[in-house]
Amino acid sequence: MARTKRDRLITRRIARWIDGRVGTAKFARSALGKVFPNHWSFLLGEIALYAFVVLVLTGTYLTFFFDASSREVVYQGVYTPLRGVTMSEAYRSAIDLSFEVRAGLVMRQIHHWAALLFIAAIVVHMMRIFFTGAFRRPREINWMVGVTLLILSIFNGFAGYSLLDDQLSGTGLRIAYSIALSIPIGGTWVASLLFGGEFPGADIIGRLYVIHILLIPAAIIGLLGAHLAILVRQKHTQFRGLGRTEDNVVGERVWPSFAFKSVGLMLLTTAVLSALGGLAQINPVWLYGPFRPAEVSSASQPDWFMGWLDGALRLFPGWEIRAFGFEVPAPFFPAVALAGLTFALLYLWPFIEARFTGDYEVHHLLDRPRDRPRRTAIGVGAFTFYAMLTLSASSDVTATTFGLSVNSVVWSLRILTLVAPFVSGVIAYRLCRELLQREAGTVVAYEPSGDSLIE
Amino acid sequence: MTAPDPQVPIPTSAAEDDAHGRAERAAIGRRRERFAALSFAVSVVAAIGLGVVYWRGGQPQLEGVFLALGFGGLGVGFIVWAKHFMPHEEVTEERHSLASTDEEMTLFREEFERGEQVLERRGLLLKAAGAALAALGAALIFPIRSLGPRPGKGLKSTPFRAGVRLVTEANEPIKPADLVTGGVLTVFPEDHTNAADASTVLIRPGTAVKPRPGRETWTPDGVVAYSKLCTHVGCPVGLYQAEEHLLLCPCHQSTFDVLDGARPVFGPAARSLPQLPLGIDADGYFVSLGDFSGPTGAGFWDRDR
Amino acid sequence: MSPPRRRRAARGLTRFGPLIVVVVSVLAIVVDHQLRASAAPSAARSANAPSAAGPVEAGRELFVVGCSGCHGLDGTGLRAADGSVLGPSLTASGEAAAYFYLSTGRMPLANPTKPPVRKDPVYTAEQIDDLVSFVGSLGDGPAIPQVQPAAGDLAAGGEIYRSQCAACHSATGAGGALSYGRAAPSLSEATPLQVATAVRIGPDQMPAFGDDAISADQLNSLARYIEYLHHPDNRGGVDLGGLGPVPEGLLIWMVGIGGIIALCVWIAYKPRRREARATR
């Protein structure tokens, strides 16, 4: 093989050294040559991926300083409004991170903003997949992997902000305990095994720590790997267009264009998260105080991704089922049953839709949302429902901000949450049909010569 | 010579593709290249800034801004590079059938079944191994039992007993005069100020409480005591509205009528707050006459049993 | 403007037009609400000539002009023709209550059908002193408590605040919702004396805390901590109103996801031109 001067570069020599031992050239050639279609909505999943990378990096840094222990200590650090106050080691280490570890606060805040962004990105990515029908055969497995990733990320987010043992997250843990209690038959066991006894116990922080830094991240990394591997194996979907068929994928190669764009997006995502982490205060636990079981603050909300559950808890009336001395407490329905139903429907959606449309074919070409008015209407309606629930979690803050009665706000939201999904679904349906009708008889594609294809 | 910028319009006719057009496109390309280089330069400056800020003791806003500029500069530079200076011709890659060919499936099935048949020749071993795996699997679940104690009477009782004094957070007993009209206090059983299930609100509403049947003696001196744990999902019901005699839970806005046995009048709570029977001991301090009228906190399956 | 620019501008307007309308409407509602809250009867601004008599007498004159319409000429309260209370009796209110309501501008009531809210005080400090003296002379109500924030312990004040006050006023002092349209107000403008008087009298929906619930020392510490909450340590950046996860969630969706999606559109944007094609 003729050696050029370039081949003596250290990078080239290392590459050849590795290849001589494991034979990477063939794989690398195939990987770097892969074609990815170019559309902004195909980058949404990447936002989630890069937010996760930021989470792991900042999270690792935080683990070097955080102490997940419930042992009580008296604070004697720099922040005077808490001097002499009794608190757990966990809370104390969070205060130290925020006040005494250099760059500790910015790392903590970037980590928390990244968690909020991670789940938001998963949700918009999932909506893109839904509205373009990318979950259809052969991608049902990847859809289910994705839903699992959503569930895991929500759990991990909840576990993460509960670690700090502050008043706000401790209130949330109490609610989680009570929701576990509400499970029929075995609820008291679930709650006791989770918390190591009655609330609050001394075990929950330590257990959440292991779950948060090891168990769920490991599961997420594994599932992410599967998610990407399946995507690479099946190749990305694409929108209809010139030269695009069910048997090809048209776009640009990984090397160098797509790789640089992806790395660029990763860097920009990190940049946005860094800006948020330094400029926008999030979760100022030193103002909330350490957790005390008998205390609470108004304006107690969970982070946004738990909002739909909290909103459901606020709206659902006190309807319990009591019989033969047993009861199914009211919170079971808006918390456990709703969550179970939500995720079950999400998991099953590809199969439900296939059953209804009778379409079991392989699809690599995407629908535009307007191409499937019914699916789009259902998606818009469902999104409206969960958005209304999330909004409902802010009922008291909304009431005070706009000078309204919180009771009226709750009643209005109860009605709106049931009505708005249908209204928005119908509007979406009509809009799709309208757009389709307008297209019939107009230009949809162009030839290279500039002549148009009329459909 | 630099590669043609794919984002710059390709000339449609010979007239466009003249020296002026080419010079214009080259100028646009150079401007973009300078912009990308400037982005990278911003990144360098930001990185230096970050080092300086850290060395000088750190400051969250500066750290965030420099991190953002550092990463952002790199990111913008890479993307401008990719958008304007990398090939954009569309490449087509053929898809191949994802499923295995019939031949591969047949081969796999034959080889696998050959192995399976070897196993099935030893039926006894197969069944015994299955039993062992199942038994071991079941046994390995047992350590989960150690995660927590059997949920027992603890859920249905608190440290309040007949004669136990009520105390503040500072473990100090309370006399009726300590509570002014329209006043509220959070209290606990004596020596159990950490009991998370026993936090109690002590209220002097200033208006007569309408007692539930059997609770006529529970409110000495016009003072009433209810469990502070919301019967919805257990948040402390910390808001007392003195004019309307309502206890409001901030979590999900369950509202309880203090004058009517803490009956829920709004919100998702289904049960009244359990009431604590109050008495006054020989020294004039508040004591409980027994445990609460029901289990405190959120409901559970066998709460009523 | 060149035609393409004009077209882009027009497109931008149609895209953002509805959003602009919504934002302006919301702003209008908020501004109107604020204006109404600070509206005050025009009566008492016209300063009375300083009286040569003592504070109680000066207070009585002010009272007759500005307060007797609801509270009666002698402060014993007035009922309307149908028996409903126009203004309650002030004989048991004491100086503390008078000081609280007048210095926070809650009285005179701007809108008698709505609960009192803080607004700019109608009376000057001297006038308030006079009125306070007068109301205090009506009966045996609580005197204005002594409060010295500097003598208080900040950390102890924080503990008291979180255990007694945060449930209604929120951990950051931003205030919170009560039932049926009432709200525990924000404490951002509460002076130590206003805090002390409110704690002792329990105005409106607020419960009252006597000396045995919150001692004089504890009151000093509490006032000191609430002063701290006026300018708390917000080293993390902009505090988004001190309302917790709600504004944080709004921000991540608008700036975080919204911003990054905008970046994605930029990254993937290709002007619609002829594309050369190559086959692998």
Side-chain angles (χ1 to χ4, degrees), chain A residues 52 104 107 136 228 242 276 294 303 309 311 377 455:
Chain A
F52 183 68
M107 285 287 167
R136 292 174 296 177
L228 294 170
L242 208 49
L276 283 170
D303 278 4
L309 285 168
E455 280 202 354

Side-chain angles (χ1 to χ4, degrees), chain A residues 102 192 207 236 247 251 327, chain B residues 54 91 95 147 149 233 271:
Chain A
R102 227 179 269 201
S192 180
R207 290 178 183 183
H236 205 281
D247 299 313
E327 75 173 37
Chain B
Y54 191 89
V91 178
R95 293 185 193 268
L147 283 173
V233 277
R271 283 189 189 248

Side-chain angles (χ1 to χ4, degrees), chain A residues 35 102 178 192 198 207 233-234 236 244 247-249 251-253 257 278 294-295 310 314 318 324 327 395, chain B residues 54 57 61 87-88 90-91 93 95 98 147 149 154 169 196 228 233 251-253 268 271 300-301 305:
Chain A
V35 172
R102 227 179 269 201
S178 301
S192 180
E198 275 182 61
R207 290 178 183 183
R233 169 95 177 103
Q234 294 178 329
H236 205 281
R244 285 132 171 95
D247 299 313
N248 67 13
V249 57
E252 44 189 39
R253 296 198 194 282
S257 318
E295 292 173 13
D310 195 64
R314 288 174 193 236
F324 311 114
E327 75 173 37
S395 55
Chain B
Y54 191 89
Q61 281 70 62
H88 264 290
E90 295 212 318
V91 178
E93 191 180 357
R95 293 185 193 268
L98 288 165
L147 283 173
E169 278 172 325
K228 196 171 181 181
V233 277
C251 287
H252 311 108
Q253 288 75 52
R271 283 189 189 248
F300 48 93
W301 178 245
R305 287 189 153 239

Side-chain angles (χ1 to χ4, degrees), chain B residues 256-275:
Chain B
F256 303 92
D257 186 348
V258 167
L259 300 180
D260 189 7
R263 181 177 57 88
V265 295
F266 183 81
R271 283 189 189 248
S272 310
L273 297 175
Q275 189 173 351

